[in-house]
Amino acid sequence: MTGMSDHDWAEVVGAIGIFALLISVFTVTVVQFAKTRRARLESARADDYRRLAETATQAQAENARLLAAMDGRLGGMENRMSTVERVLRDVD
């Protein structure tokens, strides 16, 4: 046994090439799968944030409506209180 022949070296180089190709294909597939998954999760997160923002906007509008209603009721109470104070002053 004197060493490897040219044919043996060609087989070794071919096996290393095929192995490198398989590793490259596997790596690209995993990376693309990860990017796709990340994009899908980002899209879901954006949808959740949009729904949260819409809910917050609706709650803020409802709070503004309730505050306006309370302001009207408070104005009416102030008017009635002024009337009661005037009546009490007149009675004294």
Side-chain angles (χ1 to χ4, degrees):
M1 293 198 152
T2 59
M4 296 179 72
S5 68
D6 289 339
H7 187 321
D8 292 338
W9 280 110
E11 287 180 5
V12 169
V13 170
I16 291 173
I18 289 174
F19 185 67
L21 176 67
L22 290 175
I23 288 175
S24 298
V25 168
F26 178 75
T27 302
V28 168
T29 302
V30 168
V31 168
Q32 290 302 317
F33 177 75
K35 285 182 180 180
T36 302
R37 186 168 185 246
R38 188 178 309 128
R40 193 178 310 126
L41 291 174
E42 180 68 27
S43 175
R45 191 175 332 136
D47 289 342
D48 290 344
Y49 181 75
R50 180 185 48 76
R51 274 188 249 115
L52 179 64
E54 288 173 355
T55 302
T57 303
Q58 290 171 354
Q60 188 175 11
E62 178 67 14
N63 286 341
R65 185 188 66 76
L66 291 172
L67 185 59
M70 288 177 66
D71 188 41
R73 290 172 50 192
L74 182 60
M77 289 174 62
E78 286 176 347
N79 290 339
R80 287 191 300 265
M81 184 63 96
S82 297
T83 304
V84 169
E85 288 175 349
R86 190 175 57 242
V87 168
L88 288 175
R89 270 190 241 124
D90 289 344
V91 169
D92 283 342

